[in-house]
Amino acid sequence: MKGACVMSLTVVRSVEPRSPAQRAGVRTGEILTHINGHPIVDVLDYKFYSYDPRLELTLKAPDGAVRTLRVRKAEGEDLGLEFETYLMDRARSCANHCIFCFVDQMPPGMRPSLYFKDDDARLSFLLGNYLTLTNLSPREVQRIIDLRISPINVSVHTTDRELRAEMLKNPRAGEGISIMERFAQTGITMNCQIVSCPGINDGPALDKTLTELAALFPAVNSVSVVPVGVTKYREGLYPLQTYTQETAAALIDQVEAFAANHLKSAGTRLVWCSDEFYLLAGRDLPPEDYFEDFTQLDNGVGMLTLLTQEFSRALEWMEPEELAGAAPFSIATGVSAAPFLAKLVDMAKEKCSTIEGAVYPIVNHFFGETITVAGLVTGGDLIAQLRGKYLGKRLLIPANMLRSGENVFLDDVSTEDVERELGIPVQPVAPDGYELLDAICGITLTPDTQKAAWENEEFYRYNP
């Protein structure tokens, strides 16, 4: 029964027109069982074994009939198949009960997907998710090594095996460090994350973790240290503290000292604190070159610095006349980023005095005022705190406030709801300085002009 359940998820749901699979004659409803003789269990097998230019596909029809098709295509070209699920399997849930888990701190009554804790290696490779390695079977570990799938994003938190088991509330958590060592020995690249909890895995424990991760360099490619997020929904959970200005500053000093020593010995800092630590400490963010290749950008490491630099460069290229026609606007964001966005708006006003815009920091009443990041601002808080304020003719919000691919906030309020309640159009903006300036000016980019802007930025960055 179990095998049939898994196999059913490799059913071909659709075949892209004019794709290699359609040209070869693959039909919807068939089950893809093998590529070049290799069993296809999930999306990793599919992606890896379908890379070659000459393929032999084994397919099983709904009536049980098996046939083989030969496919010729460009190396790396997608076959053009879609399956019953993206993973061609069910997503694997987390086996841990981490003392800092944000999902455990969610309020009741939200959509079910927000309570699902994923810890799936396939989502790490395909979407950049971080995983703890605690639910990898020996077969899966060996498959990662055999297929040389890299990089893998690892939520480390600590390399002390006993402490890791205690923080993750999983007696097997310490085994994840042994898996990391095995990955390093076989050349698998890892990007690592540490959620730092005051008095638990910082201080001497953090020194030990950074030292042992550095010993795995260059397989350990980068490390981010981010502060624990604590919401107001922690009744019955492990007692956690938040970072103060003083303790955040001490952790920055600790990490920067380690990074400076590693830079001297290995040519890279290896470890960075997230922007949030600098905001908590009341310190200026490091300059652009400090973050090297911005490897940990998705963890909020260097995001505000890069945004500022991109915005500055875009502003240099923008003529005052292009700014002059901008309709009045407002920007709503989290409390921590609001001062930075206000500075960017002021920069635009200095170049063109007719620019009219305001930045509104949104206090997070939904999760609690200790949560200050923009990505956790809800539609309800937006409506409650902006109603009655002068917002100009359009409201800009960070795109990460919304569910991926949808116009819905975490509290299931939609952008249409916000527009109706506030009487103003809402425009999500990606965390990109060029796009932000274009949004301020009311310019809508096409995919081609977005690509050109990105290429110009890449050229500028590497050819100053």
Side-chain angles (χ1 to χ4, degrees):
M1 181 65 68
K2 181 178 179 182
C5 180
V6 171
M7 186 65 73
S8 68
L9 295 178
T10 65
V11 173
V12 177
R13 185 176 65 185
S14 65
V15 183
E16 184 179 342
R18 295 183 295 278
S19 66
Q22 188 194 52
R23 293 195 298 270
V26 178
R27 307 184 191 108
T28 58
E30 291 185 300
I31 296 171
L32 177 65
T33 63
H34 295 75
I35 297 179
N36 289 346
H38 300 284
I40 303 303
V41 174
D42 59 22
V43 66
L44 290 190
D45 293 327
Y46 173 69
K47 295 281 188 184
F48 184 82
Y49 292 117
S50 66
Y51 185 86
D52 293 338
R54 294 191 178 190
L55 306 175
E56 184 177 89
L57 310 183
T58 303
L59 299 147
K60 185 176 181 180
D63 63 3
V66 176
R67 67 186 184 123
T68 300
L69 296 177
R70 288 181 172 81
V71 179
R72 290 191 178 185
K73 64 181 186 61
E75 186 175 71
E77 183 184 4
D78 188 74
L79 270 173
L81 298 178
E82 286 193 8
F83 299 88
E84 290 298 308
T85 68
Y86 174 71
L87 292 174
M88 302 169 67
D89 193 1
R90 290 179 174 83
R92 296 188 188 129
S93 62
C94 183
N96 310 312
H97 302 280
C98 299
I99 62 174
F100 49 82
C101 179
F102 197 86
V103 175
D104 289 341
Q105 303 178 73
M106 299 284 276
M110 303 182 72
R111 58 179 176 266
S113 61
L114 294 176
Y115 300 105
F116 180 76
K117 307 176 187 180
D118 79 78
D119 195 16
D120 198 313
R122 297 162 299 183
L123 295 176
S124 178
F125 302 128
L126 298 171
L127 302 178
N129 293 15
Y130 277 75
L131 65 153
T132 64
L133 307 177
T134 58
N135 64 2
L136 282 182
S137 68
R139 175 193 175 277
E140 290 168 320
V141 171
Q142 189 60 50
R143 180 172 69 157
I144 290 170
I145 293 170
D146 291 343
L147 301 186
R148 302 192 65 79
I149 301 173
S150 199
I152 184 170
N153 295 332
V154 184
S155 289
V156 178
H157 311 310
T158 178
T159 56
D160 184 306
R161 286 164 169 77
E162 291 184 6
L163 179 59
R164 194 168 197 258
E166 178 62 25
M167 291 187 70
L168 274 58
K169 296 300 180 184
N170 185 334
R172 291 192 56 206
E175 298 173 15
I177 306 305
S178 299
I179 294 174
M180 290 185 66
E181 292 170 345
R182 188 176 172 192
F183 283 161
Q185 292 168 1
T186 53
I188 302 298
T189 300
M190 293 168 280
N191 294 308
C192 302
Q193 177 197 61
I194 297 169
V195 174
S196 190
C197 303
I200 298 175
N201 63 333
D202 55 3
L206 180 58
D207 281 333
K208 172 182 170 65
T209 297
L210 295 180
T211 299
E212 293 182 354
L213 290 178
L216 300 181
F217 176 80
V220 168
N221 179 59
S222 68
V223 182
S224 64
V225 184
V226 304
V228 62
V230 178
T231 79
K232 63 184 181 182
Y233 298 97
R234 288 200 59 83
E235 184 177 353
L237 299 179
Y238 189 97
L240 287 176
Q241 302 297 315
T242 56
Y243 277 95
T244 65
Q245 183 172 357
E246 294 73 21
T247 56
L251 186 137
I252 291 172
D253 291 340
Q254 179 182 3
V255 170
E256 287 189 344
F258 186 94
N261 288 331
H262 198 272
L263 180 65
K264 290 179 182 177
S265 63
T268 176
R269 290 178 176 83
L270 186 67
V271 58
W272 293 266
C273 289
S274 67
D275 293 356
E276 193 174 356
F277 264 118
Y278 289 92
L279 301 178
L280 288 169
R283 292 191 177 181
D284 291 337
L285 292 168
E288 186 176 10
D289 59 1
Y290 179 85
F291 297 101
E292 299 177 16
D293 293 330
F294 289 93
T295 309
Q296 290 277 353
L297 198 62
D298 287 343
N299 271 325
V301 175
M303 182 175 291
L304 290 175
T305 296
L306 184 60
L307 179 71
T308 301
Q309 294 303 318
E310 290 175 341
F311 189 88
S312 299
R313 290 168 188 159
L315 199 57
E316 289 177 5
W317 301 338
M318 187 79 71
E319 296 297 331
E321 294 77 15
E322 296 177 85
L323 293 166
F329 65 93
S330 53
I331 300 175
T333 188
V335 170
S336 59
F340 286 85
L341 291 179
K343 289 179 182 178
L344 300 187
V345 172
D346 288 342
M347 288 167 56
K349 289 178 179 178
E350 288 178 8
K351 184 153 188 177
C352 179
S353 60
T354 62
I355 287 285
E356 183 182 342
V359 176
Y360 292 100
I362 303 300
V363 178
N364 201 317
H365 296 308
F366 188 86
F367 288 106
E369 295 184 16
T370 56
I371 303 299
T372 61
V373 295
L376 295 176
V377 169
T378 61
D381 277 340
L382 275 179
I383 293 169
Q385 296 175 47
L386 296 180
R387 184 181 280 122
K389 290 184 168 61
Y390 176 69
L391 303 177
K393 296 186 179 298
R394 51 212 169 91
L395 174 64
L396 312 181
I397 62 169
N400 64 355
M401 284 186 185
L402 304 174
R403 186 178 182 181
S404 179
E406 298 182 23
N407 291 328
V408 180
F409 296 86
L410 281 169
D411 58 355
D412 283 337
V413 173
S414 69
T415 53
E416 290 80 8
D417 295 330
V418 176
E419 290 177 338
R420 183 180 61 253
E421 293 294 327
L422 299 180
I424 188 173
V426 174
Q427 180 180 348
V429 182
D432 176 281
Y434 300 101
E435 185 169 333
L436 175 59
L437 182 58
D438 286 323
I440 286 174
C441 296
I443 298 173
T444 302
L445 292 182
T446 66
D448 287 341
T449 53
Q450 284 179 325
K451 182 175 184 292
W454 181 85
E455 290 173 343
N456 284 338
E457 161 59 12
E458 290 297 295
F459 179 84
Y460 186 94
R461 184 182 300 171
Y462 297 110
N463 300 274

